[in-house]
Amino acid sequence: MKNYYDVVIVGAGPAGSSAAYEMAGNGLNVAMMERGKKPGDKNVYGGTFYRRTCQEVFPDFWKDAPWERKVITDEVWFLEKESGVKVGYMDLLFGYPPHNKFTALRPKVDAWMADKATEQGAELHLNTLITDLLFEKSIFNKKKKVRGVKLHDGKEVEAGVVVLTEGVNAPLTEKAGLRSKFPSHIFTLHSSETLALPPEKIESRFHLEKDEGAVIGFAGNQMSTVTGKGGIWTNKDTINITVGGTLNELVEKNVAPEYLLKRFKSHPLIKRLIEGAEVLEYKGKMTVKGGYKYMPKLYDDGVLVAGDAAMMVKGRRGTDIAMLSGKEAGETITQAKAKNDFSKKMLANYEHRLNKTFYLKDIKSKKQVINYLKQHQDADHLITSLVNELAHEFFTEDQKTSKEEQKTLLKILSKKQLPFKSLEDLIQAIRYWSFA
């Protein structure tokens, strides 16, 4: 490890590797510092990678990345105790190159991205914990420009600029003065499992052919009145299950994340999908969905922040947006290196570039959505139970006239709660779910 680099990147996740790939490819001297034994080592994440956005960072991503299955089915299930209302879309054309999106396992893909960055010339240092930032000092001993990092063994490494891609908790981003402590309601704590299941059973149960994949999101009964979501992703010979709720509700309502997972797996419709599966791995994961309101300051003298640490999350889309934000950071620093100026004034171009992106425009337009998590905690539960009751009545064979059937459905709707509250809940849920 050298004593000086043009750029030190904290973390070798999607944002960090994307930034390193961009800058090393342009000749900058780049070091990625990852506290895990290998990139993705801390993840049990099985999720979705979007081909178009990923390809912007890594050309021909879909050809050689270690993806699991090409997604042809997207569904959302609203679950009650013995029933579920399913909303979804299947498109066989998504199974043909260059495909639409993929399921993938983060440990595999993170390692692949880091390898791509090192192929361009970036250095990767594993088992390396950065404990603090180095600052230039003013005459009044006030922190000024970030000039490098301090490692767990006391070693100091200087850099022209430090890129913070350290994930959700982001202690260094706080030390840099770019963000403050966040309220608990913007965090979601997930329990995740990877389950082994033979490919033929996955394909049979999810109505797939070889290499085709399905993604299913869940809300309702299994969440035990906690505002949150569940999901299933199909891989080659495993499936990933994730269930989580907002941190403040889990604490206030005394609900353990592992209880949500156990409850989810015990639902009769879920049991049919995972019957006979063997648990390979279990982990907890924190995500943050504060939106634009809680987005930190993105840059300062000698420092940029990207990925989850920068609140670059738009609903279920986090990984690909992290990659794109890393690329923008890399392009900004490459320009700054050409001028040899890593000042705040020069790095402000990073925010300018981000403001032109589709994801930041969308995050800005939905900046009030976070209120849903505080003010409408019962909306998911009420809507899910309501749509299941309405569906049950609609599909139950009887001898009512159409007019009588309509009256019955309206009666179910009206007795659930006050009509105006139902309307407000519905409007807020549509706004939230369009972003989630």
Side-chain angles (χ1 to χ4, degrees):
M1 185 183 296
K2 304 185 186 79
N3 293 321
Y4 178 86
Y5 293 90
D6 292 327
V7 187
V8 166
I9 300 173
V10 182
S17 291
S18 299
Y21 179 84
E22 178 68 29
M23 291 183 287
N26 280 292
L28 275 68
N29 190 8
V30 180
M32 291 186 290
M33 299 189 181
E34 167 60 44
R35 64 188 175 99
K37 295 179 181 179
K38 57 183 179 181
D41 187 51
K42 304 182 295 297
N43 282 292
V44 67
Y45 168 85
T48 309
F49 281 76
Y50 300 82
R51 191 266 305 169
R52 289 184 182 178
T53 49
C54 292
Q55 196 168 350
E56 285 189 31
V57 182
F58 300 100
D60 296 330
F61 167 90
W62 61 276
K63 290 183 179 179
D64 61 343
W67 50 268
E68 294 290 308
R69 289 178 179 267
K70 49 210 177 192
V71 177
I72 66 163
T73 299
D74 261 298
E75 294 181 344
V76 177
W77 293 13
F78 298 88
L79 297 179
E80 271 295 285
K81 292 179 181 178
E82 303 288 338
S83 65
V85 173
K86 303 178 182 181
V87 181
Y89 179 67
M90 174 182 283
D91 194 332
L92 298 180
L93 292 177
F94 289 157
Y96 295 96
H99 310 296
N100 182 48
K101 55 187 177 182
F102 307 90
T103 58
L105 296 169
R106 275 284 301 273
K108 292 182 181 180
V109 177
D110 282 16
W112 178 86
M113 290 182 187
D115 285 345
K116 287 292 184 182
T118 58
E119 287 172 8
Q120 295 294 315
E123 292 182 18
L124 174 61
H125 298 279
L126 302 172
N127 293 309
T128 303
L129 176 62
I130 296 176
T131 58
D132 209 346
L133 298 172
L134 304 177
F135 295 89
E136 292 181 354
K137 299 288 186 178
S138 69
I139 57 175
F140 300 105
N141 205 35
K142 184 179 179 181
K143 293 179 181 178
K144 290 184 68 178
K145 178 183 181 295
V146 173
R147 62 177 180 85
V149 297
K150 184 176 182 179
L151 277 55
H152 64 284
D153 59 3
K155 180 179 176 62
E156 295 185 354
V157 178
E158 297 198 356
V161 63
V162 175
V163 181
L164 301 173
T165 63
E166 53 184 334
V168 172
N169 292 324
L172 296 176
T173 305
E174 290 185 19
K175 288 185 177 183
L178 299 179
R179 86 178 198 187
S180 57
K181 294 289 184 182
F182 285 159
S184 60
H185 73 272
I186 73 169
F187 292 96
T188 301
L189 183 59
H190 295 88
S191 288
S192 300
E193 280 186 350
T194 300
L195 308 174
L197 201 63
E200 61 271 16
K201 287 192 175 181
I202 292 175
E203 287 148 15
S204 173
R205 294 176 187 181
F206 292 87
H207 309 292
L208 305 169
E209 298 290 340
K210 184 180 180 181
D211 291 335
E212 292 177 345
V215 176
I216 307 175
F218 300 88
N221 176 266
Q222 87 284 355
M223 295 310 302
S224 187
T225 72
V226 174
T227 305
K229 302 291 181 288
I232 289 181
W233 291 262
T234 59
N235 305 313
K236 288 179 180 177
D237 54 7
T238 62
I239 59 176
N240 275 86
I241 293 178
T242 297
V243 183
T246 55
L247 186 59
N248 64 311
E249 287 189 74
L250 292 173
V251 174
E252 292 167 3
K253 298 174 182 178
N254 196 28
V255 178
E258 56 267 29
Y259 168 73
L260 293 182
L261 185 61
K262 182 179 179 180
R263 181 179 173 86
F264 178 74
K265 291 171 65 177
S266 69
H267 191 283
L269 297 183
I270 305 303
K271 286 174 68 175
R272 296 184 180 192
L273 295 178
I274 66 174
E275 184 180 1
E278 176 189 357
V279 178
L280 298 179
E281 193 173 20
Y282 169 86
K283 281 187 181 179
K285 178 179 175 61
M286 189 88 78
T287 60
V288 62
K289 293 187 178 182
Y292 188 71
K293 180 178 179 181
Y294 292 99
M295 189 168 287
K297 185 180 178 183
L298 298 171
Y299 63 93
D300 207 338
D301 289 311
V303 63
L304 293 179
V305 57
D308 283 357
M311 204 74 70
M312 293 295 166
V313 179
K314 188 181 90 70
R316 288 188 292 173
R317 298 182 68 165
T319 302
D320 66 320
I321 290 176
M323 293 169 63
L324 291 174
S325 68
K327 184 176 188 294
E328 296 291 354
E331 291 180 348
T332 299
I333 295 170
T334 297
Q335 181 179 350
K337 173 63 177 176
K339 192 178 179 183
N340 203 29
D341 179 4
F342 300 115
S343 67
K344 176 169 59 175
K345 182 178 180 180
M346 190 68 185
L347 296 181
N349 193 42
Y350 175 53
E351 185 169 15
H352 172 74
R353 297 175 69 99
L354 288 174
N355 283 331
K356 302 297 183 181
T357 63
F358 76 92
Y359 50 91
L360 196 55
K361 288 179 181 178
D362 209 20
I363 292 171
K364 283 183 177 181
S365 70
K366 301 292 194 305
K367 60 185 177 182
Q368 298 301 324
V369 167
I370 192 63
N371 293 332
Y372 182 85
L373 300 176
K374 291 196 301 182
Q375 301 171 7
H376 300 273
Q377 292 182 4
D378 61 337
D380 277 11
H381 171 75
L382 289 166
I383 290 170
T384 301
S385 62
L386 177 61
V387 296
N388 274 269
E389 287 184 39
L390 292 172
H392 178 81
E393 175 62 31
F394 183 81
F395 289 105
T396 298
E397 180 61 31
D398 55 32
Q399 295 183 336
K400 295 178 182 177
T401 65
S402 297
K403 192 171 184 178
E404 289 172 333
E405 183 69 29
Q406 291 173 10
K407 286 183 178 179
T408 302
L409 294 173
L410 288 172
K411 187 176 180 180
I412 292 172
L413 181 63
S414 64
K415 81 173 191 176
K416 204 69 176 167
Q417 61 179 6
L418 294 171
F420 286 114
K421 186 175 187 305
S422 293
L423 180 61
E424 182 184 9
D425 283 343
L426 181 61
I427 293 172
Q428 294 298 329
I430 290 172
R431 291 183 63 195
Y432 173 66
W433 275 76
S434 68
F435 187 71

